[in-house]
């Protein structure tokens, strides 16, 4: 399942830049433009990480963080601070932030922090279907002892299929879970990516794992029972 990140940021340009960059990396991104709406989303939906700007209209990042933690919301928080005074940084960490970045920041550094926070918060899971294995921390895939190179999007797609192994997964499920669309994208993008993944995991193997249910969707399963 694609990891979900909430970006609470009032500067439209920064929010857009973060959304685009993170989506390119395969994350599902939701944004909120002010304190109260950010806090509401953080409470009502489950996110794997929150990127929280400190200077926000109506309720600042420190206040939001303090209230979320007081109410037991443990989602990792990366604070974006405009000032790098020791007081601000220590204050933020004491309130329960997991890390911080000072603006302006490099996107590469932000990504590294994001990955590190997600790694820390996540427990390693090894998914398996037949002789296909997927490690949810390293993102490494193996079929038998051959390793499979996946792009970020292909990884998210395969992880979702493996977590729902043996069940029919519709195109709309995949569009929603892997791309973050609330609607059928109306293009063949899902099929195109499924075909990429199919080539990578099934080509050259007599037993196929990824099956098409015509007009409905896909099922990943080992139909030979040779796990
Ligand atoms: Ca701001």
């Amino acid at each position: 399942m694609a990891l979900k990140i909430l970006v609470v940021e009032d500067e439209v340009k920064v929010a857009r830049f973060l959304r685009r960059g993170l989506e390119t990396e395969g994350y599902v991104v939701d944004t909120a433009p002010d304190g109260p709406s950010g806090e509401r989303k953080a409470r009502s939906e489950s996110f794997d990480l929150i990127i929280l700007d400190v200077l926000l209209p109506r309720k600042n990042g420190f206040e939001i963080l303090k209230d979320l933690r007081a109410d037991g919301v443990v989602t990792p928080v990366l604070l974006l601070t405009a000032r790098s005074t020791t007081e601000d940084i220590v204050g933020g960490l004491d309130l329960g932030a997991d890390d911080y970045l000072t603006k302006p920041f490099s996107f590469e550094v932000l990504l590294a922090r994001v990955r590190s926070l997600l790694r820390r918060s996540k427990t390693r899971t090894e998914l398996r279907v037949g002789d296909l294995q997927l490690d949810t921390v390293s993102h490494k895939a193996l079929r038998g002892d051959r390793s499979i190179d996946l792009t970020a999007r292909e990884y998210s797609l395969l992880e979702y299929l493996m977590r729902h192994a043996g069940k029919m997964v519709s195109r709309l499920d995949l569009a929603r879970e892997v791309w973050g669309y609330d609607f059928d994208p109306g293009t063949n993008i899902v099929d195109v990516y499924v075909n990429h993944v199919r080539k990578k995991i099934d080509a050259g193997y007599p037993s196929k794992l990824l099956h098409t249910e015509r007009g409905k969707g896909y099922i990943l399963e080992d139909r030979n029972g040779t796990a």
Side-chain angles (χ1 to χ4, degrees), residues 110-121:
L110 175 113
L111 266 187
R113 299 280 175 89
V114 165
R115 282 195 298 266
S116 149
L117 287 173
L118 290 170
R119 224 171 15 240
R120 266 194 262 158
S121 72

Side-chain angles (χ1 to χ4, degrees), residues 9-11 53-57 103:
E9 167 63 81
D10 59 313
E11 286 162 75
D53 187 29
V54 171
L55 295 175
L56 287 167
K103 287 180 173 179

Side-chain angles (χ1 to χ4, degrees), residues 43 52 61-71 95-96:
R43 286 175 190 278
L52 182 60
F62 288 145
E63 295 171 307
I64 294 171
L65 180 60
K66 189 170 157 229
D67 289 350
L68 287 176
R69 291 298 186 244
D71 290 341
L95 287 174

